[in-house]
Amino acid sequence: MKIHFLIPILLVCMLIGACEKDLFVKDIADEKVVLLSPGNGVSLKAQTINFIWEEVEDATNYRFRLATPSFDSIQLLLIDSMASKTTISFNLNPGIYEWQIRGENEGSNTGYSTYKIFIDSTSDLSGFQLVLSTPGDSFYTNVSKPQFSWEGLPIASEYNYKIVKGVDFENGELFTSKINTDKTSLTLTKALENGFYTWGINAENDNSKTNYSTRFMYFDDQVPGKPQLKTPTNGELRNIGNTTFTWTTPSDNGSPVRDSLILSTDSLFRSGNKYHLVSNGSYTDSLARGITYYWKMSTTDRAGNWSGYTTPFNFTIQ
């Protein structure tokens, strides 16, 4: 009997413990972020600076701030950014800076830990990493002549753009000849062909150059096929309110696709529409009786190509 009496108590305790873990967030106000690199008071050449700090237990993210010349006599707050990891990188021009970090979670935050650094002038680009802006990495697009942009470096005299077919940037086939520019953006003049590309930019001056910074992209201008509606069939009378919609989606060799289903009580879909992103060829919905419903579908791929809508089907729940 004692064993049977203890089991419910143990279960309740376990449930309470689990709830407390989910409902209560640890207060980290008394914790401190330990800054690792760059150290306090160090002098560095102008380059890409990697800021690194120790993880704070129970912190879910970190607020990074950078000011010049200091937070006590601030002239310019250059960066106020959130990071989920314990490192972040920026290109810095010559000057005096302070950087600081605090840990945060849903309920509290630590105080700021602050270090001062000095950035000396240099004409050597080899320590820099060019920061690419747009398009984002692993980008899908149906724009045949996209624009590319990146952050400039004050000591760079020009930038070299390169795009190759496929994912082998070093040895892949050049899609266009290399492009030299003193701007920080350019638009392709040759239309892309369907497929994967790797593009990259480096900076150079009379004395040195950076390595290439690269990203992947995929161009796809092929319109996906429309889904083929299967059930409920057109004009069907149904006796149950729990209705499963089924369809087939034509195969597509381009970018990934997703299907959309629109359900309405209006034959022209002017009002009362329900929109559903669906997958795997089926979707189930609980529907009211005594109503005629209309449904149609379309397919969109990740590059933004749209199939258009299917011819609507209608069915009635008796």
Side-chain angles (χ1 to χ4, degrees), residues 155 170 189 243:
I155 59 174
E170 295 297 327
T189 57
T243 300

Side-chain angles (χ1 to χ4, degrees), residues 4-14:
H4 292 295
F5 179 73
L6 285 173
I7 288 175
I9 295 177
L10 290 172
L11 288 173
V12 170
C13 291
M14 291 171 65

Side-chain angles (χ1 to χ4, degrees), residues 19-306:
C19 292
E20 285 182 345
K21 186 175 181 180
D22 292 335
L23 295 176
F24 298 101
V25 179
K26 183 178 178 181
D27 187 346
I28 59 173
D30 294 331
E31 302 296 326
K32 182 180 180 180
V33 181
V34 177
L35 307 184
L36 297 178
S37 179
N40 192 30
V42 301
S43 295
L44 302 167
K45 291 183 178 179
Q47 58 185 304
T48 301
I49 308 297
N50 298 314
F51 298 90
I52 306 171
W53 57 94
E54 287 187 359
E55 181 180 1
V56 174
E57 186 177 1
D58 296 305
T60 55
N61 48 57
Y62 303 89
R63 182 172 295 277
F64 174 92
R65 302 204 308 169
L66 181 77
T68 182
S70 69
F71 288 100
D72 290 333
S73 56
I74 190 169
Q75 292 181 1
L76 188 62
L77 179 63
L78 297 169
I79 300 168
D80 188 343
S81 178
M82 298 299 291
S84 59
K85 299 180 180 180
T86 57
T87 181
I88 195 168
S89 300
F90 293 100
N91 292 324
L92 298 183
N93 297 327
I96 302 172
Y97 301 90
E98 281 191 346
W99 66 284
Q100 58 181 204
I101 297 284
R102 77 178 186 189
E104 299 183 359
N105 61 27
E106 293 181 1
S108 61
N109 55 261
T110 70
Y112 280 106
S113 297
T114 305
Y115 273 179
K116 181 182 289 290
I117 57 174
F118 303 88
I119 305 298
D120 299 329
S121 61
T122 181
S123 61
D124 184 4
L125 282 167
S126 61
F128 285 90
Q129 180 180 355
L130 207 60
V131 177
L132 305 181
S133 299
T134 58
D137 198 18
S138 300
F139 181 70
Y140 287 79
T141 184
N142 58 5
V143 177
S144 62
K145 297 179 180 179
Q147 184 181 71
F148 301 85
S149 64
W150 55 94
E151 293 184 11
L153 295 174
I155 59 174
S157 57
E158 68 175 10
Y159 304 93
N160 303 304
Y161 170 88
K162 174 183 172 182
I163 183 169
V164 301
K165 295 181 178 180
V167 297
D168 187 350
F169 186 72
E170 295 297 327
N171 304 306
E173 176 188 352
L174 281 173
F175 178 70
T176 66
S177 57
K178 292 183 180 180
I179 301 172
N180 300 327
T181 178
D182 59 357
K183 310 296 184 183
T184 56
S185 67
L186 62 84
T187 301
L188 277 186
T189 57
K190 179 182 177 181
L192 294 172
E193 302 164 357
N194 286 291
F196 276 106
Y197 294 87
T198 308
W199 65 279
I201 305 284
N202 82 335
E204 67 176 52
N205 57 27
D206 292 337
N207 304 313
S208 58
K209 60 184 178 181
T210 68
N211 292 325
Y212 274 93
S213 297
T214 61
R215 283 181 177 173
F216 300 107
M217 65 179 298
Y218 188 90
F219 174 72
D220 177 11
D221 66 354
Q222 301 300 305
V223 175
K226 296 178 182 179
Q228 297 175 351
L229 308 187
K230 295 176 67 176
T231 60
T233 58
N234 196 28
E236 181 179 346
L237 297 177
R238 300 178 64 86
N239 295 316
I240 56 173
N242 207 35
T243 300
T244 297
F245 299 84
T246 63
W247 64 93
T248 57
T249 302
S251 60
D252 191 296
N253 295 323
S255 51
V257 299
R258 64 181 184 181
D259 297 323
S260 298
L261 185 153
I262 301 181
L263 181 65
S264 182
T265 55
D266 178 1
S267 62
L268 298 179
F269 296 87
R270 293 168 300 189
S271 62
N273 298 337
K274 292 183 178 180
Y275 297 85
H276 305 281
L277 291 177
V278 290
S279 60
N280 301 322
S282 69
Y283 168 75
T284 300
D285 201 349
S286 180
L287 303 176
R289 296 177 182 273
I291 298 176
T292 297
Y293 294 92
Y294 303 85
W295 68 293
K296 61 183 179 179
M297 295 189 66
S298 66
T299 298
T300 305
D301 65 29
R302 193 177 294 180
N305 302 299
W306 182 59

